[in-house]
Amino acid sequence: MNRFSIAGILTGFVLFVSCKEKKEQKDDPVKKFVLSSTMPVTIDTVKTCNIDNAITLSGEVSFNENSVVKIFPRSSGQIIESKVTLGDKVQAGQVLAVIKSADVAGNYADLSSAEADIAIAKRQLDNQESLYKSGISSEKDYTEAKQNYQKTLAAKQKIESVLNINTGSNATSGGTYSITSPINGYIVEKRVNTGNFIRQDMGENLFTISNLKNVWVWANVFEADIPKVKEGVSVQVTTLAYPNKYFSGKIDKVSEVLDPANKALRVRISLDNSELLLKPEMFAQVLVSNQLDQKAICVPTKALISQNGKEYVIVYNSNSDMKIAEVDILKTTGDKTYVNSGVTEGQRVITQNQLLVFQQLLSQ
């Protein structure tokens, strides 16, 4: 075999291998993205909804005045120990402050004097009773001794009642008494510190305690929007601290007069706050829902993905069958977004980790 034949055989072999590799590459399909179990997602359904003609009100979080206790001093004196700070959680019966009071010390001095009077009156009564039974003393003297003894008992009882009213059961003979919490809750106001002098007739409370598990939101409604706001209307509340979290509630009170300062009507919303996320004095936005007769396709607002000035959602059919759909937004109201096109009723969209899925689908 000459060298030209060997070269031809080698050339043919190389061409064969090359063609085979190309064929194998051509037959190898593009690998599709499949959702794995390590990427949890949440699925929601596209619906047809009544369009909400919602309005947004500004407001602030406040205490629920029906579950707030304001604590005032019972007797004048000086704060010798303040045991709590603003925001502390307290239990019913817990000591909040200890006060040293000249009035309480005086009451205990009066109590000691009353107890001495009782002891004297009791001895006199016993003597008169013995003399009366022996026929030496008259019944009148014996009756007067009994009445005098009863008066001393009544005087002591009066002093004890005053002490109980002014100090509760936490006073000592040294003139100190404790202020305790009447309920379980949180210290939401504190106006005193150790060393402060207080008076019984002072106008300000020492502490304010609230359980904070239910709060009020007060919102302002301007004149043009008053017809859209009524008791019982559903609302959603958001705050600067939790901009993506919606707190659902209803308007439970509408004022009958406008605030003369800003010409706005005040409305009150009661909200469940079992997670204690809402704090008094927080700024809040209140979205008031007003449903119209018009309907439109709506998707959860959290399903939207913004990219290059356009809005998309991920339509989910199965873990291996997902697609990107561009949507034309009509309007967004709270947790609902109304769309003109892009999805149809009954389709399912991803509302959790949708951005990660979006990036994976783009990279295919």
Side-chain angles (χ1 to χ4, degrees), residues 186-244:
Y186 295 84
I187 303 293
V188 294
E189 283 183 346
K190 179 189 176 187
R191 301 179 185 273
V192 291
N193 290 301
T194 301
N196 289 157
F197 287 90
I198 59 173
R199 297 192 313 274
Q200 189 175 359
D201 61 347
M202 68 186 296
E204 291 187 341
N205 56 301
L206 305 182
F207 302 96
T208 301
I209 301 175
S210 173
N211 63 22
L212 293 181
K213 291 186 178 179
N214 184 276
V215 294
W216 287 346
V217 173
W218 289 99
N220 296 319
V221 184
F222 292 103
E223 245 181 289
D225 295 324
I226 289 178
K228 301 177 184 178
V229 176
K230 298 177 182 178
E231 288 187 13
V233 172
S234 298
V235 301
Q236 291 183 317
V237 179
T238 60
T239 62
L240 292 176
Y242 312 104
N244 297 319

Side-chain angles (χ1 to χ4, degrees), residues 238-267:
T238 60
T239 62
L240 292 176
Y242 312 104
N244 297 319
K245 186 172 180 62
Y246 294 89
F247 301 87
S248 299
K250 291 185 178 181
I251 295 175
D252 62 5
K253 184 177 179 61
V254 177
S255 175
E256 296 297 332
V257 295
L258 272 66
D259 187 328
N262 57 15
K263 300 298 182 182
L265 192 72
R266 295 190 80 200
V267 296

